[in-house]
Amino acid sequence: APVPFVPGGEAAGIVSEVGPGVEGFSVGDRVIGSTGLIGGFQEKVLANAKASRALSKNVGFAEATGLLYSYGTGFYGLKFRGDLKPGETLLVLGAAGNVGLAAVELGKLMGARVIAAASSREKLSVCLDRGADETIDYATEDLKTRAKELTGGKGVDVIYDCIGGDFAEAALRAIAWEGRFLVIGFTAGIPKLPLNLTLLKSCQVIGVFYGAMIARQPELLEEISNELWSLLEDGKLNPYVSARYALSDAPQALRDLLDRKVTGKVVIEANR
């Protein structure tokens, strides 16, 4: 966006005004809405009605924000790209972040044995609280060796890689026969994987581009959205909000994200 601009792509709150021709929403409704890519960090937000959804009273504003970003990526990746099956082993890299924790929680819901990998015992403690079965501290443990140990030498069936960098190859070397390596993001840098490993393991390296899917497959987005909102409203999903910042502290919230000081999700509250 051209500067200056207000960041923030999603916001939850109470409807104060409804535009002409808008149906299905009224003043006073609790809603979650998308602003596109900018304009969310404000006291009053203009949201597109087609990209908004009414919230039931049992869903908090903070828990609702970002649901389709983190859990949408996870559900699309694990179910539709990785074909994760009950009883399989799932390794999540960067498991303490918002996207990683969503994958941990969804993996358990889908019946997998979940191994969470992160860079500190404190972060891994959060992963265990969110349902992870086993953990790997890749700051002190060898990722490949430990993953193989935890699977009795078999290797992991599905890898959910949020970080890339040198960890990607180490994880790929611990994949099981016919395993699936899901490429989610590159916070540690874009890796270069030796493709001979895919032959030796008869495995797949699969890209998970949730944003592009939204534009290319709107019917799939609707299916994913409906299922995730149903799970949230039924209490089967419980997004972890680790910190809440005042609107005036939004720069600090972004700095904490960049400095990797955050576990789970953080939110900015205009009335805090």
PDB file of all heavy atoms in Angstrom, residues 37-77:
ATOM      1  N   LEU A  37      -6.500  -5.769   3.139  1.00  0.00           N
ATOM      2  CA  LEU A  37      -5.161  -5.944   3.701  1.00  0.00           C
ATOM      3  C   LEU A  37      -4.749  -4.811   4.620  1.00  0.00           C
ATOM      4  O   LEU A  37      -3.743  -4.919   5.328  1.00  0.00           O
ATOM      5  CB  LEU A  37      -4.136  -6.064   2.568  1.00  0.00           C
ATOM      6  CG  LEU A  37      -4.269  -7.300   1.683  1.00  0.00           C
ATOM      7  CD1 LEU A  37      -3.249  -7.253   0.556  1.00  0.00           C
ATOM      8  CD2 LEU A  37      -4.087  -8.567   2.499  1.00  0.00           C
ATOM      9  N   ILE A  38      -5.479  -3.711   4.617  1.00  0.00           N
ATOM     10  CA  ILE A  38      -5.105  -2.566   5.448  1.00  0.00           C
ATOM     11  C   ILE A  38      -6.347  -1.986   6.120  1.00  0.00           C
ATOM     12  O   ILE A  38      -7.475  -2.277   5.736  1.00  0.00           O
ATOM     13  CB  ILE A  38      -4.405  -1.461   4.620  1.00  0.00           C
ATOM     14  CG1 ILE A  38      -5.334  -0.948   3.511  1.00  0.00           C
ATOM     15  CG2 ILE A  38      -3.094  -1.972   4.029  1.00  0.00           C
ATOM     16  CD1 ILE A  38      -4.769   0.229   2.736  1.00  0.00           C
ATOM     17  N   GLY A  39      -6.108  -1.155   7.164  1.00  0.00           N
ATOM     18  CA  GLY A  39      -7.201  -0.416   7.786  1.00  0.00           C
ATOM     19  C   GLY A  39      -7.776  -1.025   9.040  1.00  0.00           C
ATOM     20  O   GLY A  39      -8.773  -0.533   9.570  1.00  0.00           O
ATOM     21  N   GLY A  40      -7.172  -2.097   9.560  1.00  0.00           N
ATOM     22  CA  GLY A  40      -7.750  -2.777  10.717  1.00  0.00           C
ATOM     23  C   GLY A  40      -7.399  -2.169  12.067  1.00  0.00           C
ATOM     24  O   GLY A  40      -8.159  -2.294  13.027  1.00  0.00           O
ATOM     25  N   PHE A  41      -6.255  -1.512  12.171  1.00  0.00           N
ATOM     26  CA  PHE A  41      -5.809  -0.991  13.469  1.00  0.00           C
ATOM     27  C   PHE A  41      -6.377   0.410  13.689  1.00  0.00           C
ATOM     28  O   PHE A  41      -5.658   1.411  13.699  1.00  0.00           O
ATOM     29  CB  PHE A  41      -4.282  -0.950  13.527  1.00  0.00           C
ATOM     30  CG  PHE A  41      -3.608  -2.297  13.440  1.00  0.00           C
ATOM     31  CD1 PHE A  41      -2.235  -2.382  13.334  1.00  0.00           C
ATOM     32  CD2 PHE A  41      -4.338  -3.476  13.453  1.00  0.00           C
ATOM     33  CE1 PHE A  41      -1.599  -3.613  13.242  1.00  0.00           C
ATOM     34  CE2 PHE A  41      -3.716  -4.711  13.359  1.00  0.00           C
ATOM     35  CZ  PHE A  41      -2.342  -4.775  13.250  1.00  0.00           C
ATOM     36  N   GLN A  42      -7.687   0.469  13.872  1.00  0.00           N
ATOM     37  CA  GLN A  42      -8.371   1.739  14.076  1.00  0.00           C
ATOM     38  C   GLN A  42      -9.507   1.560  15.082  1.00  0.00           C
ATOM     39  O   GLN A  42      -9.954   0.441  15.331  1.00  0.00           O
ATOM     40  CB  GLN A  42      -8.958   2.260  12.757  1.00  0.00           C
ATOM     41  CG  GLN A  42      -7.946   2.437  11.641  1.00  0.00           C
ATOM     42  CD  GLN A  42      -8.566   3.073  10.415  1.00  0.00           C
ATOM     43  OE1 GLN A  42      -8.583   4.289  10.302  1.00  0.00           O
ATOM     44  NE2 GLN A  42      -9.071   2.256   9.498  1.00  0.00           N
ATOM     45  N   GLU A  43      -9.963   2.684  15.631  1.00  0.00           N
ATOM     46  CA  GLU A  43     -11.102   2.616  16.546  1.00  0.00           C
ATOM     47  C   GLU A  43     -12.389   2.272  15.807  1.00  0.00           C
ATOM     48  O   GLU A  43     -13.265   1.606  16.339  1.00  0.00           O
ATOM     49  CB  GLU A  43     -11.251   3.955  17.276  1.00  0.00           C
ATOM     50  CG  GLU A  43     -10.112   4.235  18.252  1.00  0.00           C
ATOM     51  CD  GLU A  43     -10.219   5.601  18.880  1.00  0.00           C
ATOM     52  OE1 GLU A  43     -10.810   6.510  18.242  1.00  0.00           O
ATOM     53  OE2 GLU A  43      -9.717   5.779  19.997  1.00  0.00           O
ATOM     54  N   LYS A  44     -12.502   2.751  14.573  1.00  0.00           N
ATOM     55  CA  LYS A  44     -13.639   2.410  13.723  1.00  0.00           C
ATOM     56  C   LYS A  44     -13.098   1.868  12.405  1.00  0.00           C
ATOM     57  O   LYS A  44     -12.214   2.451  11.798  1.00  0.00           O
ATOM     58  CB  LYS A  44     -14.545   3.617  13.480  1.00  0.00           C
ATOM     59  CG  LYS A  44     -15.418   3.949  14.684  1.00  0.00           C
ATOM     60  CD  LYS A  44     -16.584   4.819  14.283  1.00  0.00           C
ATOM     61  CE  LYS A  44     -17.567   4.969  15.440  1.00  0.00           C
ATOM     62  NZ  LYS A  44     -18.778   5.734  15.028  1.00  0.00           N
ATOM     63  N   VAL A  45     -13.671   0.747  11.973  1.00  0.00           N
ATOM     64  CA  VAL A  45     -13.160   0.027  10.820  1.00  0.00           C
ATOM     65  C   VAL A  45     -14.266  -0.120   9.780  1.00  0.00           C
ATOM     66  O   VAL A  45     -15.423  -0.401  10.125  1.00  0.00           O
ATOM     67  CB  VAL A  45     -12.661  -1.377  11.251  1.00  0.00           C
ATOM     68  CG1 VAL A  45     -12.340  -2.236  10.045  1.00  0.00           C
ATOM     69  CG2 VAL A  45     -11.446  -1.244  12.158  1.00  0.00           C
ATOM     70  N   LEU A  46     -13.906   0.077   8.516  1.00  0.00           N
ATOM     71  CA  LEU A  46     -14.842  -0.167   7.424  1.00  0.00           C
ATOM     72  C   LEU A  46     -14.593  -1.564   6.887  1.00  0.00           C
ATOM     73  O   LEU A  46     -13.509  -1.870   6.386  1.00  0.00           O
ATOM     74  CB  LEU A  46     -14.632   0.864   6.312  1.00  0.00           C
ATOM     75  CG  LEU A  46     -15.536   0.725   5.086  1.00  0.00           C
ATOM     76  CD1 LEU A  46     -16.996   0.948   5.476  1.00  0.00           C
ATOM     77  CD2 LEU A  46     -15.118   1.716   4.005  1.00  0.00           C
ATOM     78  N   ALA A  47     -15.591  -2.444   7.014  1.00  0.00           N
ATOM     79  CA  ALA A  47     -15.449  -3.835   6.586  1.00  0.00           C
ATOM     80  C   ALA A  47     -16.423  -4.137   5.455  1.00  0.00           C
ATOM     81  O   ALA A  47     -17.516  -3.566   5.387  1.00  0.00           O
ATOM     82  CB  ALA A  47     -15.702  -4.778   7.755  1.00  0.00           C
ATOM     83  N   ASN A  48     -16.029  -5.030   4.585  1.00  0.00           N
ATOM     84  CA  ASN A  48     -16.877  -5.471   3.488  1.00  0.00           C
ATOM     85  C   ASN A  48     -17.897  -6.476   4.024  1.00  0.00           C
ATOM     86  O   ASN A  48     -17.531  -7.463   4.661  1.00  0.00           O
ATOM     87  CB  ASN A  48     -16.002  -6.132   2.413  1.00  0.00           C
ATOM     88  CG  ASN A  48     -16.773  -6.457   1.154  1.00  0.00           C
ATOM     89  OD1 ASN A  48     -17.926  -6.865   1.203  1.00  0.00           O
ATOM     90  ND2 ASN A  48     -16.116  -6.284   0.016  1.00  0.00           N
ATOM     91  N   ALA A  49     -19.175  -6.242   3.775  1.00  0.00           N
ATOM     92  CA  ALA A  49     -20.225  -7.127   4.291  1.00  0.00           C
ATOM     93  C   ALA A  49     -20.045  -8.555   3.794  1.00  0.00           C
ATOM     94  O   ALA A  49     -20.312  -9.523   4.517  1.00  0.00           O
ATOM     95  CB  ALA A  49     -21.601  -6.599   3.895  1.00  0.00           C
ATOM     96  N   LYS A  50     -19.583  -8.722   2.543  1.00  0.00           N
ATOM     97  CA  LYS A  50     -19.399 -10.061   1.989  1.00  0.00           C
ATOM     98  C   LYS A  50     -18.241 -10.799   2.671  1.00  0.00           C
ATOM     99  O   LYS A  50     -18.166 -12.030   2.576  1.00  0.00           O
ATOM    100  CB  LYS A  50     -19.158  -9.971   0.488  1.00  0.00           C
ATOM    101  CG  LYS A  50     -20.370  -9.490  -0.300  1.00  0.00           C
ATOM    102  CD  LYS A  50     -20.078  -9.459  -1.787  1.00  0.00           C
ATOM    103  CE  LYS A  50     -21.300  -8.996  -2.567  1.00  0.00           C
ATOM    104  NZ  LYS A  50     -21.028  -8.930  -4.028  1.00  0.00           N
ATOM    105  N   ALA A  51     -17.359 -10.049   3.331  1.00  0.00           N
ATOM    106  CA  ALA A  51     -16.223 -10.656   4.017  1.00  0.00           C
ATOM    107  C   ALA A  51     -16.389 -10.571   5.534  1.00  0.00           C
ATOM    108  O   ALA A  51     -15.414 -10.595   6.285  1.00  0.00           O
ATOM    109  CB  ALA A  51     -14.924  -9.975   3.596  1.00  0.00           C
ATOM    110  N   SER A  52     -17.640 -10.455   5.980  1.00  0.00           N
ATOM    111  CA  SER A  52     -17.925 -10.345   7.412  1.00  0.00           C
ATOM    112  C   SER A  52     -18.840 -11.478   7.855  1.00  0.00           C
ATOM    113  O   SER A  52     -19.529 -12.091   7.049  1.00  0.00           O
ATOM    114  CB  SER A  52     -18.584  -8.997   7.718  1.00  0.00           C
ATOM    115  OG  SER A  52     -17.751  -7.926   7.331  1.00  0.00           O
ATOM    116  N   ARG A  53     -18.829 -11.714   9.154  1.00  0.00           N
ATOM    117  CA  ARG A  53     -19.630 -12.807   9.695  1.00  0.00           C
ATOM    118  C   ARG A  53     -20.112 -12.437  11.098  1.00  0.00           C
ATOM    119  O   ARG A  53     -19.346 -11.877  11.894  1.00  0.00           O
ATOM    120  CB  ARG A  53     -18.795 -14.089   9.766  1.00  0.00           C
ATOM    121  CG  ARG A  53     -19.572 -15.333  10.169  1.00  0.00           C
ATOM    122  CD  ARG A  53     -18.652 -16.525  10.255  1.00  0.00           C
ATOM    123  NE  ARG A  53     -19.388 -17.763  10.502  1.00  0.00           N
ATOM    124  CZ  ARG A  53     -19.704 -18.643   9.570  1.00  0.00           C
ATOM    125  NH1 ARG A  53     -19.335 -18.445   8.322  1.00  0.00           N
ATOM    126  NH2 ARG A  53     -20.374 -19.744   9.872  1.00  0.00           N
ATOM    127  N   ALA A  54     -21.369 -12.747  11.384  1.00  0.00           N
ATOM    128  CA  ALA A  54     -21.896 -12.507  12.723  1.00  0.00           C
ATOM    129  C   ALA A  54     -21.272 -13.485  13.702  1.00  0.00           C
ATOM    130  O   ALA A  54     -21.017 -14.647  13.370  1.00  0.00           O
ATOM    131  CB  ALA A  54     -23.418 -12.647  12.720  1.00  0.00           C
ATOM    132  N   LEU A  55     -21.007 -13.018  14.918  1.00  0.00           N
ATOM    133  CA  LEU A  55     -20.414 -13.851  15.952  1.00  0.00           C
ATOM    134  C   LEU A  55     -21.439 -14.205  17.011  1.00  0.00           C
ATOM    135  O   LEU A  55     -22.201 -13.339  17.463  1.00  0.00           O
ATOM    136  CB  LEU A  55     -19.246 -13.121  16.634  1.00  0.00           C
ATOM    137  CG  LEU A  55     -18.014 -12.816  15.785  1.00  0.00           C
ATOM    138  CD1 LEU A  55     -17.005 -12.026  16.599  1.00  0.00           C
ATOM    139  CD2 LEU A  55     -17.401 -14.096  15.247  1.00  0.00           C
ATOM    140  N   SER A  56     -21.464 -15.464  17.413  1.00  0.00           N
ATOM    141  CA  SER A  56     -22.329 -15.854  18.523  1.00  0.00           C
ATOM    142  C   SER A  56     -21.751 -15.303  19.823  1.00  0.00           C
ATOM    143  O   SER A  56     -20.564 -14.961  19.902  1.00  0.00           O
ATOM    144  CB  SER A  56     -22.442 -17.376  18.591  1.00  0.00           C
ATOM    145  OG  SER A  56     -21.169 -17.963  18.775  1.00  0.00           O
ATOM    146  N   LYS A  57     -22.555 -15.243  20.851  1.00  0.00           N
ATOM    147  CA  LYS A  57     -22.132 -14.619  22.106  1.00  0.00           C
ATOM    148  C   LYS A  57     -21.031 -15.393  22.815  1.00  0.00           C
ATOM    149  O   LYS A  57     -20.319 -14.842  23.653  1.00  0.00           O
ATOM    150  CB  LYS A  57     -23.350 -14.460  23.033  1.00  0.00           C
ATOM    151  CG  LYS A  57     -24.377 -13.443  22.531  1.00  0.00           C
ATOM    152  CD  LYS A  57     -25.520 -13.278  23.514  1.00  0.00           C
ATOM    153  CE  LYS A  57     -26.522 -12.229  23.012  1.00  0.00           C
ATOM    154  NZ  LYS A  57     -27.667 -12.069  23.956  1.00  0.00           N
ATOM    155  N   ASN A  58     -20.890 -16.679  22.505  1.00  0.00           N
ATOM    156  CA  ASN A  58     -19.879 -17.477  23.190  1.00  0.00           C
ATOM    157  C   ASN A  58     -18.506 -17.414  22.530  1.00  0.00           C
ATOM    158  O   ASN A  58     -17.575 -18.083  22.972  1.00  0.00           O
ATOM    159  CB  ASN A  58     -20.329 -18.941  23.290  1.00  0.00           C
ATOM    160  CG  ASN A  58     -20.457 -19.598  21.929  1.00  0.00           C
ATOM    161  OD1 ASN A  58     -20.941 -18.967  20.996  1.00  0.00           O
ATOM    162  ND2 ASN A  58     -20.043 -20.851  21.813  1.00  0.00           N
ATOM    163  N   VAL A  59     -18.370 -16.608  21.464  1.00  0.00           N
ATOM    164  CA  VAL A  59     -17.087 -16.445  20.787  1.00  0.00           C
ATOM    165  C   VAL A  59     -16.554 -15.052  21.064  1.00  0.00           C
ATOM    166  O   VAL A  59     -17.205 -14.052  20.744  1.00  0.00           O
ATOM    167  CB  VAL A  59     -17.229 -16.659  19.263  1.00  0.00           C
ATOM    168  CG1 VAL A  59     -15.888 -16.394  18.568  1.00  0.00           C
ATOM    169  CG2 VAL A  59     -17.702 -18.069  18.966  1.00  0.00           C
ATOM    170  N   GLY A  60     -15.372 -14.963  21.664  1.00  0.00           N
ATOM    171  CA  GLY A  60     -14.781 -13.676  21.986  1.00  0.00           C
ATOM    172  C   GLY A  60     -14.228 -12.978  20.757  1.00  0.00           C
ATOM    173  O   GLY A  60     -13.844 -13.628  19.780  1.00  0.00           O
ATOM    174  N   PHE A  61     -14.179 -11.658  20.806  1.00  0.00           N
ATOM    175  CA  PHE A  61     -13.623 -10.897  19.691  1.00  0.00           C
ATOM    176  C   PHE A  61     -12.172 -11.297  19.428  1.00  0.00           C
ATOM    177  O   PHE A  61     -11.761 -11.483  18.291  1.00  0.00           O
ATOM    178  CB  PHE A  61     -13.692  -9.400  19.985  1.00  0.00           C
ATOM    179  CG  PHE A  61     -15.086  -8.831  19.979  1.00  0.00           C
ATOM    180  CD1 PHE A  61     -15.445  -7.851  20.881  1.00  0.00           C
ATOM    181  CD2 PHE A  61     -16.036  -9.266  19.064  1.00  0.00           C
ATOM    182  CE1 PHE A  61     -16.715  -7.305  20.881  1.00  0.00           C
ATOM    183  CE2 PHE A  61     -17.317  -8.728  19.051  1.00  0.00           C
ATOM    184  CZ  PHE A  61     -17.661  -7.741  19.968  1.00  0.00           C
ATOM    185  N   ALA A  62     -11.374 -11.386  20.504  1.00  0.00           N
ATOM    186  CA  ALA A  62      -9.950 -11.695  20.333  1.00  0.00           C
ATOM    187  C   ALA A  62      -9.755 -13.073  19.718  1.00  0.00           C
ATOM    188  O   ALA A  62      -8.894 -13.267  18.856  1.00  0.00           O
ATOM    189  CB  ALA A  62      -9.237 -11.612  21.692  1.00  0.00           C
ATOM    190  N   GLU A  63     -10.542 -14.041  20.157  1.00  0.00           N
ATOM    191  CA  GLU A  63     -10.405 -15.413  19.641  1.00  0.00           C
ATOM    192  C   GLU A  63     -10.851 -15.515  18.189  1.00  0.00           C
ATOM    193  O   GLU A  63     -10.347 -16.352  17.432  1.00  0.00           O
ATOM    194  CB  GLU A  63     -11.213 -16.379  20.512  1.00  0.00           C
ATOM    195  CG  GLU A  63     -10.638 -16.617  21.896  1.00  0.00           C
ATOM    196  CD  GLU A  63     -10.783 -15.440  22.834  1.00  0.00           C
ATOM    197  OE1 GLU A  63     -11.655 -14.568  22.594  1.00  0.00           O
ATOM    198  OE2 GLU A  63     -10.018 -15.368  23.813  1.00  0.00           O
ATOM    199  N   ALA A  64     -11.797 -14.658  17.791  1.00  0.00           N
ATOM    200  CA  ALA A  64     -12.323 -14.714  16.425  1.00  0.00           C
ATOM    201  C   ALA A  64     -11.342 -14.138  15.407  1.00  0.00           C
ATOM    202  O   ALA A  64     -11.246 -14.623  14.283  1.00  0.00           O
ATOM    203  CB  ALA A  64     -13.646 -13.956  16.338  1.00  0.00           C
ATOM    204  N   THR A  65     -10.604 -13.114  15.802  1.00  0.00           N
ATOM    205  CA  THR A  65      -9.710 -12.464  14.843  1.00  0.00           C
ATOM    206  C   THR A  65      -8.589 -13.415  14.442  1.00  0.00           C
ATOM    207  O   THR A  65      -7.996 -14.095  15.266  1.00  0.00           O
ATOM    208  CB  THR A  65      -9.100 -11.184  15.434  1.00  0.00           C
ATOM    209  OG1 THR A  65      -8.498 -11.484  16.702  1.00  0.00           O
ATOM    210  CG2 THR A  65     -10.152 -10.119  15.630  1.00  0.00           C
ATOM    211  N   GLY A  66      -8.322 -13.442  13.170  1.00  0.00           N
ATOM    212  CA  GLY A  66      -7.239 -14.276  12.659  1.00  0.00           C
ATOM    213  C   GLY A  66      -7.577 -15.742  12.511  1.00  0.00           C
ATOM    214  O   GLY A  66      -6.720 -16.527  12.108  1.00  0.00           O
ATOM    215  N   LEU A  67      -8.805 -16.142  12.816  1.00  0.00           N
ATOM    216  CA  LEU A  67      -9.155 -17.564  12.749  1.00  0.00           C
ATOM    217  C   LEU A  67      -8.904 -18.130  11.349  1.00  0.00           C
ATOM    218  O   LEU A  67      -8.262 -19.166  11.197  1.00  0.00           O
ATOM    219  CB  LEU A  67     -10.622 -17.781  13.129  1.00  0.00           C
ATOM    220  CG  LEU A  67     -11.068 -19.252  13.051  1.00  0.00           C
ATOM    221  CD1 LEU A  67     -10.647 -20.009  14.293  1.00  0.00           C
ATOM    222  CD2 LEU A  67     -12.580 -19.368  12.851  1.00  0.00           C
ATOM    223  N   LEU A  68      -9.393 -17.416  10.349  1.00  0.00           N
ATOM    224  CA  LEU A  68      -9.289 -17.951   8.993  1.00  0.00           C
ATOM    225  C   LEU A  68      -7.875 -17.815   8.437  1.00  0.00           C
ATOM    226  O   LEU A  68      -7.537 -18.447   7.435  1.00  0.00           O
ATOM    227  CB  LEU A  68     -10.291 -17.265   8.071  1.00  0.00           C
ATOM    228  CG  LEU A  68     -11.761 -17.536   8.401  1.00  0.00           C
ATOM    229  CD1 LEU A  68     -12.668 -16.882   7.375  1.00  0.00           C
ATOM    230  CD2 LEU A  68     -12.042 -19.036   8.467  1.00  0.00           C
ATOM    231  N   TYR A  69      -7.054 -17.018   9.070  1.00  0.00           N
ATOM    232  CA  TYR A  69      -5.653 -16.931   8.646  1.00  0.00           C
ATOM    233  C   TYR A  69      -4.869 -18.133   9.165  1.00  0.00           C
ATOM    234  O   TYR A  69      -4.321 -18.917   8.397  1.00  0.00           O
ATOM    235  CB  TYR A  69      -5.035 -15.641   9.161  1.00  0.00           C
ATOM    236  CG  TYR A  69      -3.523 -15.603   9.050  1.00  0.00           C
ATOM    237  CD1 TYR A  69      -2.896 -15.540   7.810  1.00  0.00           C
ATOM    238  CD2 TYR A  69      -2.728 -15.650  10.190  1.00  0.00           C
ATOM    239  CE1 TYR A  69      -1.515 -15.522   7.700  1.00  0.00           C
ATOM    240  CE2 TYR A  69      -1.350 -15.630  10.087  1.00  0.00           C
ATOM    241  CZ  TYR A  69      -0.738 -15.557   8.849  1.00  0.00           C
ATOM    242  OH  TYR A  69       0.623 -15.560   8.761  1.00  0.00           O
ATOM    243  N   SER A  70      -4.848 -18.300  10.472  1.00  0.00           N
ATOM    244  CA  SER A  70      -4.030 -19.369  11.053  1.00  0.00           C
ATOM    245  C   SER A  70      -4.689 -20.741  10.926  1.00  0.00           C
ATOM    246  O   SER A  70      -4.078 -21.695  10.428  1.00  0.00           O
ATOM    247  CB  SER A  70      -3.730 -19.068  12.526  1.00  0.00           C
ATOM    248  OG  SER A  70      -4.929 -18.862  13.251  1.00  0.00           O
ATOM    249  N   TYR A  71      -5.927 -20.860  11.354  1.00  0.00           N
ATOM    250  CA  TYR A  71      -6.611 -22.149  11.280  1.00  0.00           C
ATOM    251  C   TYR A  71      -7.008 -22.477   9.840  1.00  0.00           C
ATOM    252  O   TYR A  71      -7.049 -23.652   9.460  1.00  0.00           O
ATOM    253  CB  TYR A  71      -7.847 -22.153  12.182  1.00  0.00           C
ATOM    254  CG  TYR A  71      -7.503 -22.236  13.645  1.00  0.00           C
ATOM    255  CD1 TYR A  71      -7.210 -21.089  14.374  1.00  0.00           C
ATOM    256  CD2 TYR A  71      -7.464 -23.452  14.317  1.00  0.00           C
ATOM    257  CE1 TYR A  71      -6.887 -21.146  15.718  1.00  0.00           C
ATOM    258  CE2 TYR A  71      -7.144 -23.536  15.659  1.00  0.00           C
ATOM    259  CZ  TYR A  71      -6.849 -22.372  16.357  1.00  0.00           C
ATOM    260  OH  TYR A  71      -6.517 -22.438  17.691  1.00  0.00           O
ATOM    261  N   GLY A  72      -7.294 -21.444   9.038  1.00  0.00           N
ATOM    262  CA  GLY A  72      -7.595 -21.687   7.634  1.00  0.00           C
ATOM    263  C   GLY A  72      -6.409 -22.287   6.907  1.00  0.00           C
ATOM    264  O   GLY A  72      -6.534 -23.259   6.159  1.00  0.00           O
ATOM    265  N   THR A  73      -5.227 -21.720   7.161  1.00  0.00           N
ATOM    266  CA  THR A  73      -4.007 -22.268   6.576  1.00  0.00           C
ATOM    267  C   THR A  73      -3.797 -23.702   7.040  1.00  0.00           C
ATOM    268  O   THR A  73      -3.477 -24.595   6.245  1.00  0.00           O
ATOM    269  CB  THR A  73      -2.790 -21.416   6.972  1.00  0.00           C
ATOM    270  OG1 THR A  73      -2.972 -20.081   6.497  1.00  0.00           O
ATOM    271  CG2 THR A  73      -1.514 -21.985   6.387  1.00  0.00           C
ATOM    272  N   GLY A  74      -3.984 -23.933   8.345  1.00  0.00           N
ATOM    273  CA  GLY A  74      -3.768 -25.265   8.899  1.00  0.00           C
ATOM    274  C   GLY A  74      -4.746 -26.299   8.359  1.00  0.00           C
ATOM    275  O   GLY A  74      -4.352 -27.409   7.986  1.00  0.00           O
ATOM    276  N   PHE A  75      -6.005 -25.932   8.291  1.00  0.00           N
ATOM    277  CA  PHE A  75      -7.022 -26.880   7.842  1.00  0.00           C
ATOM    278  C   PHE A  75      -6.854 -27.191   6.359  1.00  0.00           C
ATOM    279  O   PHE A  75      -6.946 -28.357   5.936  1.00  0.00           O
ATOM    280  CB  PHE A  75      -8.414 -26.310   8.124  1.00  0.00           C
ATOM    281  CG  PHE A  75      -9.505 -27.334   8.129  1.00  0.00           C
ATOM    282  CD1 PHE A  75      -9.487 -28.400   9.020  1.00  0.00           C
ATOM    283  CD2 PHE A  75     -10.569 -27.246   7.248  1.00  0.00           C
ATOM    284  CE1 PHE A  75     -10.501 -29.351   9.028  1.00  0.00           C
ATOM    285  CE2 PHE A  75     -11.580 -28.187   7.248  1.00  0.00           C
ATOM    286  CZ  PHE A  75     -11.538 -29.241   8.136  1.00  0.00           C
ATOM    287  N   TYR A  76      -6.602 -26.147   5.580  1.00  0.00           N
ATOM    288  CA  TYR A  76      -6.351 -26.342   4.147  1.00  0.00           C
ATOM    289  C   TYR A  76      -5.118 -27.220   3.940  1.00  0.00           C
ATOM    290  O   TYR A  76      -5.129 -28.162   3.135  1.00  0.00           O
ATOM    291  CB  TYR A  76      -6.161 -24.984   3.477  1.00  0.00           C
ATOM    292  CG  TYR A  76      -5.712 -25.040   2.037  1.00  0.00           C
ATOM    293  CD1 TYR A  76      -6.446 -25.723   1.073  1.00  0.00           C
ATOM    294  CD2 TYR A  76      -4.549 -24.371   1.626  1.00  0.00           C
ATOM    295  CE1 TYR A  76      -6.042 -25.755  -0.258  1.00  0.00           C
ATOM    296  CE2 TYR A  76      -4.132 -24.394   0.306  1.00  0.00           C
ATOM    297  CZ  TYR A  76      -4.881 -25.089  -0.629  1.00  0.00           C
ATOM    298  OH  TYR A  76      -4.472 -25.125  -1.942  1.00  0.00           O
ATOM    299  N   GLY A  77      -4.057 -26.925   4.693  1.00  0.00           N
ATOM    300  CA  GLY A  77      -2.825 -27.686   4.528  1.00  0.00           C
ATOM    301  C   GLY A  77      -2.952 -29.127   4.980  1.00  0.00           C
ATOM    302  O   GLY A  77      -2.598 -30.059   4.242  1.00  0.00           O
TER     303      GLY A  77
END
